[in-house]
């Protein structure tokens, strides 16, 4: 009975994180962008500081008609938003937020996370192909090309941390972390973070969406709650990327004075703010620039970090 209760409590906590943190990040994005770009609209809904903006967005999506194009592949079109969203919930199951506070501690947790995150990108590819719309298909093709380009530096950067810690368990990596890993794994942290942003298709890596060119890319034909699920998957992806960067490169729950869980969430929200800041500050990359950054920039840097990690491990071993 005790084991069952423990499993239920862990699942409830993970579900709360999955449902609440993306909404908080979404609300934060409204406010940060409103301040940085002098956007007045998000500051007025509901009165004080636009507190009801997120509620207004939810009501708007709920009221819209759920339309499926006549020529669409209905089954694939309907399940694509779920394919984009559910993998992030599965990732959160193995992400530790404090000492002993993890849904499931897998020995191959890092491999599991990288594999499942790749599945989420397939949702936009499925949506683009199933929509029977040339703009959606083009967005889906761009998503596929972006996934292929940025998955490699993402995996190489994560492999460097696993090599440093000597384990693929996420809690094990956090427990092995030392403060001097910050400069040691700095290149890998930058590569991992940028590659993760590209896989989320967040600005400036939002070529698969590119509203000024292909409307909304794979999501062009989506309306109502299905479109809202795609939006939710984007913000859940921000939370997951922030958690993984915190766990792998920033020491997770390590920190002075405050409880470990507090340190984890402080680091996660700081990284989420940086992601929002990127969206406001940088223009969208062209497709050739995006591919060049991956293959000419991030992949060689990830290989350098991997080699540097191996050299240091040999020297201190």
């Amino acid at each position: 009975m005790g084991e069952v209760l423990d499993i239920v409590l862990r699942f409830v906590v993970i579900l709360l994180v999955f449902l609440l943190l993306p909404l908080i990040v979404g609300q934060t994005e409204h406010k940060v962008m409103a301040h940085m770009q002098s956007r007045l609209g998000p500051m007025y809904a509901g009165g004080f500081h636009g507190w009801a903006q997120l509620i207004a967005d939810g009501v708007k999506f709920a009221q819209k008609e759920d339309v499926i194009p006549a020529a669409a592949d209905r089954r694939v079109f309907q399940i694509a938003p779920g394919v984009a969203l559910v993998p992030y919930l599965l990732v959160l199951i193995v992400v530790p937020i404090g000492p002993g506070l993890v849904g499931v501690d897998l020995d191959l947790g890092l491999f599991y996370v990288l594999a499942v995150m790749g599945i989420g990108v397939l949702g936009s590819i499925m949506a683009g192909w199933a929509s029977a719309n040339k703009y959606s298909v083009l967005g889906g093709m761009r998503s596929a090309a972006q996934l292929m380009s940025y998955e490699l530096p993402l995996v190489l950067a994560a492999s460097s941390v696993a090599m440093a810690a000597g384990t693929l368990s996420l809690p094990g990596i956090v427990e092995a972390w030392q403060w001097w890993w910050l400069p040691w794994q700095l290149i890998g942290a930058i590569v991992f973070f940028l590659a993760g942003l590209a896989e989320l298709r967040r600005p400036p890596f939002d070529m698969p969406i590119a509203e000024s060119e292909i409307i909304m890319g794979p999501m062009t034909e989506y309306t109502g709650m299905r479109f809202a699920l795609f939006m939710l998957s984007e913000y859940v992806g921000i939370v997951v990327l922030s958690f993984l960067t915190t766990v792998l490169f920033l020491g997770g729950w390590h920190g002075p004075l405050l409880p470990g869980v507090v340190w984890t969430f402080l680091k996660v929200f700081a990284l989420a703010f940086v992601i929002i800041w990127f969206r406001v500050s940088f223009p969208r990359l062209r497709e050739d620039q995006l591919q060049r950054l991956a293959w000419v920039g991030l992949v060689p840097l990830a290989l350098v970090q991997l080699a540097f990690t191996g050299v240091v491990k040999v020297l201190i071993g």
Side-chain angles (χ1 to χ4, degrees):
M1 188 64 184
E3 293 182 0
V4 174
L5 181 60
D6 181 65
I7 293 173
V8 170
L9 288 176
R10 289 173 185 265
F11 177 77
V12 169
V13 171
I14 293 169
L15 193 59
L16 288 175
V17 171
F18 177 76
L19 294 176
L20 294 180
L21 288 191
L23 298 181
I24 296 174
V25 171
Q27 182 76 345
T28 303
E29 182 170 63
H30 278 120
K31 305 311 166 189
V32 171
M33 293 179 65
H35 283 292
M36 288 185 172
Q37 298 182 325
S38 299
R39 295 185 176 191
L40 298 180
M43 304 302 289
Y44 283 91
F48 175 72
H49 211 69
W51 65 269
Q53 179 63 48
L54 200 63
I55 299 175
D57 287 341
V59 172
K60 175 187 69 176
F61 285 127
Q63 288 179 333
K64 288 186 175 181
E65 182 181 0
D66 182 16
V67 178
I68 300 178
D73 186 326
R74 296 181 65 89
R75 182 172 299 176
V76 177
F77 185 89
Q78 289 172 335
I79 66 174
V83 173
L85 179 61
V86 172
Y88 292 120
L89 173 61
L90 300 179
V91 169
L92 288 174
I93 293 175
V94 300
V95 175
I97 61 176
L101 299 177
V102 59
V104 179
D105 182 5
L106 296 179
D107 292 336
L108 299 178
L110 184 57
F111 278 175
Y112 169 83
V113 163
L114 296 174
V116 173
M117 283 185 67
I119 296 174
V121 183
L122 297 179
S124 63
I125 300 174
M126 293 169 59
W129 180 257
S131 294
N133 177 298
K134 61 183 179 181
Y135 298 108
S136 300
V137 172
L138 182 57
M141 293 174 62
R142 288 182 176 183
S143 294
Q146 201 156 308
L147 169 64
M148 292 176 61
S149 299
Y150 283 89
E151 187 73 13
L152 181 58
L154 186 80
V155 171
L156 290 175
S159 300
S160 174
V161 179
M163 181 188 297
T167 179
L168 294 172
S169 166
L170 295 183
I173 291 174
V174 179
E175 290 170 358
W177 187 87
Q178 303 291 331
W179 67 268
W180 51 271
W181 285 27
L182 290 173
W184 182 27
Q185 299 295 324
L186 178 61
I187 296 175
I190 295 172
V191 170
F192 184 88
F193 190 68
L194 292 179
L197 280 181
E199 291 212 351
L200 293 179
R201 302 173 301 282
R202 287 282 301 183
F205 304 102
D206 58 337
M207 282 302 297
I209 298 175
E211 298 99 321
S212 58
E213 301 176 24
I214 52 177
I215 311 176
M216 278 297 287
M219 298 178 286
T220 298
E221 298 290 355
Y222 282 85
T223 59
M225 294 307 296
R226 297 189 197 278
F227 184 83
L229 289 178
F230 273 116
M231 292 292 98
L232 179 60
S233 69
E234 178 180 337
Y235 290 109
V236 178
I238 293 174
V239 172
V240 168
L241 176 61
S242 300
F243 265 117
L244 291 177
T245 306
T246 296
V247 167
L248 296 177
F249 298 98
L250 300 182
W253 60 75
H254 290 288
L257 302 178
L258 300 175
V261 175
V262 175
W263 272 113
T264 298
F265 281 101
L266 284 176
K267 295 172 185 178
V268 166
F269 281 114
L271 290 172
F273 176 80
V274 172
I275 293 173
I276 297 169
W277 195 355
F278 270 43
R279 174 175 180 175
V280 175
S281 303
F282 295 101
R284 179 184 303 125
L285 298 175
R286 295 196 315 263
E287 188 67 30
D288 63 310
Q289 294 172 330
L290 186 142
Q291 296 294 333
R292 187 179 299 113
L293 175 63
W295 294 106
V296 179
L298 298 187
V299 170
L301 284 175
L303 291 173
V304 168
Q305 176 67 80
L306 199 61
F308 180 50
T309 301
V311 169
V312 173
K313 286 287 286 185
V314 170
L315 292 177
I316 67 176

